[in-house]
Amino acid sequence: VQLQASGGGLVQTGGSLRLSCAASGFSLDDYAIGWFRRAPGKGRDGVACISGGSTDIWYAESTKGRFTISRDNAKNTAYLHMSSLNPEDTAVYYCAADPGFTMCLTGTPSSDTWWGRGTLVTVSS
C-alpha cells in the first residue's frame, strides 16, 4: 500500500508544473485525495483536496485560481496542476488519502489520513 507523489522540479516564477499522486496496492476510488506542502522552515499546509467522487473540492486561499486538483480513478492517480507559480510556492508537496469527508471540507488531515512521499517544487525568482 503506497502513495507516491511525483512531478516536482525547478521552475521559474510564472511557470507551471503538474504533480501526480499514484496509488499502488489499493484503490483510490473511495478515498479523498489531498495535497499538502511544507515550505522550508514552516509547518505543513493544506493546498487542495478532492473527494472520491470529485463532488467536493477544496482549495487553500493562496492557491485558488492558480492550482487545479483532479483525479482519474481508472488510473488510480490524482493530479495537481499548478500555474502562475511564485517563490512562495517552493515546498515539498505531499499527497494524502483519507477515507472520510472532513479533509475536503477543512483542508486538514484526520487521524485516518495516509501519507505518501513528497516531491520537491522549487520556484526561482
Side-chain angles (χ1 to χ4, degrees):
V1 175
Q2 188 176 7
L3 282 173
Q4 180 65 59
S6 62
L10 175 64
V11 63
Q12 291 184 331
T13 294
S16 299
L17 279 175
R18 188 182 78 161
L19 305 183
S20 298
C21 174
S24 58
F26 72 104
S27 173
L28 281 180
D29 289 15
D30 296 325
Y31 290 83
I33 300 299
W35 285 96
F36 297 81
R37 67 186 180 187
R38 187 185 296 273
K42 296 186 178 181
R44 184 182 61 204
D45 293 319
V47 173
C49 184
I50 185 168
S51 62
S54 302
T55 53
D56 296 313
I57 294 178
W58 174 91
Y59 292 102
E61 285 299 322
S62 60
T63 63
K64 281 182 181 177
R66 301 189 300 124
F67 290 12
T68 301
I69 190 170
S70 62
R71 62 192 298 156
D72 186 338
N73 287 346
K75 294 182 178 180
N76 223 26
T77 302
Y79 305 95
L80 183 70
H81 186 267
M82 308 183 294
S83 61
S84 302
L85 286 163
N86 59 67
E88 288 70 39
D89 296 314
T90 294
V92 177
Y93 284 72
Y94 301 88
C95 63
D98 193 290
F101 61 90
T102 58
M103 188 168 70
C104 287
L105 293 179
T106 64
T108 57
S110 74
S111 58
D112 296 321
T113 300
W114 297 359
W115 295 93
R117 292 188 176 183
T119 185
L120 176 62
V121 173
T122 303
V123 184
S124 63
S125 58

